[in-house]
PDB file of all heavy atoms in Angstrom:
ATOM      1  N   ASN B 293      41.192  40.147  22.126  1.00 86.00           N
ATOM      2  CA  ASN B 293      41.451  40.231  23.551  1.00 86.00           C
ATOM      3  C   ASN B 293      41.676  41.697  23.986  1.00 86.00           C
ATOM      4  O   ASN B 293      41.909  42.076  25.088  1.00 86.00           O
ATOM      5  CB  ASN B 293      42.700  39.428  24.003  1.00 86.00           C
ATOM      6  CG  ASN B 293      42.370  38.022  23.934  1.00 86.00           C
ATOM      7  OD1 ASN B 293      41.287  37.551  24.516  1.00 86.00           O
ATOM      8  ND2 ASN B 293      43.089  37.191  23.338  1.00 86.00           N
ATOM      9  N   ALA B 294      41.437  42.757  23.022  1.00 88.00           N
ATOM     10  CA  ALA B 294      41.616  44.079  23.426  1.00 88.00           C
ATOM     11  C   ALA B 294      40.250  44.763  23.785  1.00 88.00           C
ATOM     12  O   ALA B 294      40.293  45.901  24.129  1.00 88.00           O
ATOM     13  CB  ALA B 294      42.082  44.870  22.061  1.00 88.00           C
ATOM     14  N   GLN B 295      39.211  43.904  23.883  1.00 87.00           N
ATOM     15  CA  GLN B 295      37.951  44.532  24.121  1.00 87.00           C
ATOM     16  C   GLN B 295      37.851  45.231  25.456  1.00 87.00           C
ATOM     17  O   GLN B 295      37.310  46.385  25.561  1.00 87.00           O
ATOM     18  CB  GLN B 295      36.815  43.413  24.131  1.00 87.00           C
ATOM     19  CG  GLN B 295      36.624  42.794  22.769  1.00 87.00           C
ATOM     20  CD  GLN B 295      35.659  41.653  22.867  1.00 87.00           C
ATOM     21  OE1 GLN B 295      34.475  41.837  23.289  1.00 87.00           O
ATOM     22  NE2 GLN B 295      35.936  40.459  22.309  1.00 87.00           N
ATOM     23  N   GLN B 296      38.428  44.674  26.523  1.00 87.00           N
ATOM     24  CA  GLN B 296      38.353  45.216  27.812  1.00 87.00           C
ATOM     25  C   GLN B 296      39.177  46.606  27.817  1.00 87.00           C
ATOM     26  O   GLN B 296      38.711  47.476  28.467  1.00 87.00           O
ATOM     27  CB  GLN B 296      38.927  44.370  28.858  1.00 87.00           C
ATOM     28  CG  GLN B 296      38.179  43.065  29.095  1.00 87.00           C
ATOM     29  CD  GLN B 296      38.697  42.162  30.094  1.00 87.00           C
ATOM     30  OE1 GLN B 296      39.674  42.543  30.759  1.00 87.00           O
ATOM     31  NE2 GLN B 296      38.271  40.829  30.022  1.00 87.00           N
ATOM     32  N   ASP B 297      40.338  46.649  27.157  1.00 88.00           N
ATOM     33  CA  ASP B 297      41.125  47.898  27.165  1.00 88.00           C
ATOM     34  C   ASP B 297      40.367  49.118  26.503  1.00 88.00           C
ATOM     35  O   ASP B 297      40.676  50.242  26.710  1.00 88.00           O
ATOM     36  CB  ASP B 297      42.473  47.637  26.377  1.00 88.00           C
ATOM     37  CG  ASP B 297      43.216  46.482  27.056  1.00 88.00           C
ATOM     38  OD1 ASP B 297      42.989  46.317  28.204  1.00 88.00           O
ATOM     39  OD2 ASP B 297      44.076  45.813  26.436  1.00 88.00           O
ATOM     40  N   THR B 298      39.338  48.728  25.667  1.00 87.00           N
ATOM     41  CA  THR B 298      38.632  49.764  24.942  1.00 87.00           C
ATOM     42  C   THR B 298      37.514  50.402  25.942  1.00 87.00           C
ATOM     43  O   THR B 298      37.146  51.556  25.810  1.00 87.00           O
ATOM     44  CB  THR B 298      37.821  49.186  23.867  1.00 87.00           C
ATOM     45  OG1 THR B 298      38.799  48.556  23.106  1.00 87.00           O
ATOM     46  CG2 THR B 298      37.171  50.219  22.993  1.00 87.00           C
ATOM     47  N   ILE B 299      37.149  49.520  27.004  1.00 91.00           N
ATOM     48  CA  ILE B 299      36.016  50.031  27.726  1.00 91.00           C
ATOM     49  C   ILE B 299      36.527  50.478  29.259  1.00 91.00           C
ATOM     50  O   ILE B 299      36.019  51.561  29.618  1.00 91.00           O
ATOM     51  CB  ILE B 299      35.063  48.804  28.065  1.00 91.00           C
ATOM     52  CG1 ILE B 299      34.743  48.068  26.827  1.00 91.00           C
ATOM     53  CG2 ILE B 299      33.847  49.273  28.900  1.00 91.00           C
ATOM     54  CD1 ILE B 299      33.727  48.777  26.003  1.00 91.00           C
ATOM     55  N   GLU B 300      37.342  49.754  29.851  1.00 90.00           N
ATOM     56  CA  GLU B 300      37.648  49.935  31.204  1.00 90.00           C
ATOM     57  C   GLU B 300      38.143  51.365  31.512  1.00 90.00           C
ATOM     58  O   GLU B 300      37.860  52.026  32.509  1.00 90.00           O
ATOM     59  CB  GLU B 300      38.768  48.933  31.648  1.00 90.00           C
ATOM     60  CG  GLU B 300      38.060  47.568  32.030  1.00 90.00           C
ATOM     61  CD  GLU B 300      37.387  47.687  33.336  1.00 90.00           C
ATOM     62  OE1 GLU B 300      38.131  47.504  34.379  1.00 90.00           O
ATOM     63  OE2 GLU B 300      36.067  47.795  33.385  1.00 90.00           O
ATOM     64  N   PRO B 301      39.023  51.969  30.619  1.00 89.00           N
ATOM     65  CA  PRO B 301      39.611  53.336  30.936  1.00 89.00           C
ATOM     66  C   PRO B 301      38.537  54.389  30.977  1.00 89.00           C
ATOM     67  O   PRO B 301      38.822  55.475  31.490  1.00 89.00           O
ATOM     68  CB  PRO B 301      40.514  53.600  29.732  1.00 89.00           C
ATOM     69  CG  PRO B 301      40.968  52.172  29.230  1.00 89.00           C
ATOM     70  CD  PRO B 301      39.661  51.479  29.444  1.00 89.00           C
ATOM     71  N   LEU B 302      37.243  54.074  30.455  1.00 90.00           N
ATOM     72  CA  LEU B 302      36.246  55.107  30.488  1.00 90.00           C
ATOM     73  C   LEU B 302      35.537  55.219  31.743  1.00 90.00           C
ATOM     74  O   LEU B 302      34.668  56.094  31.947  1.00 90.00           O
ATOM     75  CB  LEU B 302      35.300  54.840  29.372  1.00 90.00           C
ATOM     76  CG  LEU B 302      35.816  54.816  27.906  1.00 90.00           C
ATOM     77  CD1 LEU B 302      34.702  54.431  26.898  1.00 90.00           C
ATOM     78  CD2 LEU B 302      36.480  56.144  27.624  1.00 90.00           C
ATOM     79  N   LEU B 303      35.656  54.202  32.720  1.00 94.00           N
ATOM     80  CA  LEU B 303      34.804  53.976  33.823  1.00 94.00           C
ATOM     81  C   LEU B 303      35.525  54.239  35.207  1.00 94.00           C
ATOM     82  O   LEU B 303      36.716  54.054  35.323  1.00 94.00           O
ATOM     83  CB  LEU B 303      34.282  52.625  33.831  1.00 94.00           C
ATOM     84  CG  LEU B 303      33.632  52.161  32.492  1.00 94.00           C
ATOM     85  CD1 LEU B 303      33.108  50.746  32.531  1.00 94.00           C
ATOM     86  CD2 LEU B 303      32.398  53.096  32.134  1.00 94.00           C
ATOM     87  N   ASP B 304      34.774  54.792  36.145  1.00 93.00           N
ATOM     88  CA  ASP B 304      35.336  54.886  37.508  1.00 93.00           C
ATOM     89  C   ASP B 304      34.252  54.447  38.559  1.00 93.00           C
ATOM     90  O   ASP B 304      34.480  54.616  39.734  1.00 93.00           O
ATOM     91  CB  ASP B 304      35.828  56.267  37.789  1.00 93.00           C
ATOM     92  CG  ASP B 304      34.799  57.345  37.505  1.00 93.00           C
ATOM     93  OD1 ASP B 304      33.664  57.034  37.394  1.00 93.00           O
ATOM     94  OD2 ASP B 304      35.192  58.599  37.427  1.00 93.00           O
ATOM     95  N   SER B 305      33.220  53.834  38.093  1.00 96.00           N
ATOM     96  CA  SER B 305      32.118  53.330  39.066  1.00 96.00           C
ATOM     97  C   SER B 305      32.734  52.030  39.723  1.00 96.00           C
ATOM     98  O   SER B 305      33.864  51.535  39.282  1.00 96.00           O
ATOM     99  CB  SER B 305      30.867  53.171  38.407  1.00 96.00           C
ATOM    100  OG  SER B 305      31.110  52.400  37.173  1.00 96.00           O
ATOM    101  N   ARG B 306      32.025  51.417  40.665  1.00 96.00           N
ATOM    102  CA  ARG B 306      32.414  50.228  41.225  1.00 96.00           C
ATOM    103  C   ARG B 306      31.242  49.360  41.570  1.00 96.00           C
ATOM    104  O   ARG B 306      30.031  49.751  41.524  1.00 96.00           O
ATOM    105  CB  ARG B 306      33.311  50.416  42.467  1.00 96.00           C
ATOM    106  CG  ARG B 306      32.610  51.311  43.591  1.00 96.00           C
ATOM    107  CD  ARG B 306      33.636  51.587  44.721  1.00 96.00           C
ATOM    108  NE  ARG B 306      32.869  52.060  45.857  1.00 96.00           N
ATOM    109  CZ  ARG B 306      33.217  51.886  47.131  1.00 96.00           C
ATOM    110  NH1 ARG B 306      34.304  51.180  47.408  1.00 96.00           N
ATOM    111  NH2 ARG B 306      32.437  52.267  48.196  1.00 96.00           N
TER     112      ARG B 306
END
Side-chain angles (χ1 to χ4, degrees):
Chain B
N293 291 310
Q295 294 176 53
Q296 295 175 15
D297 300 335
T298 307
I299 310 284
E300 280 282 281
L302 303 178
L303 307 178
D304 53 18
S305 47
R306 57 187 197 147

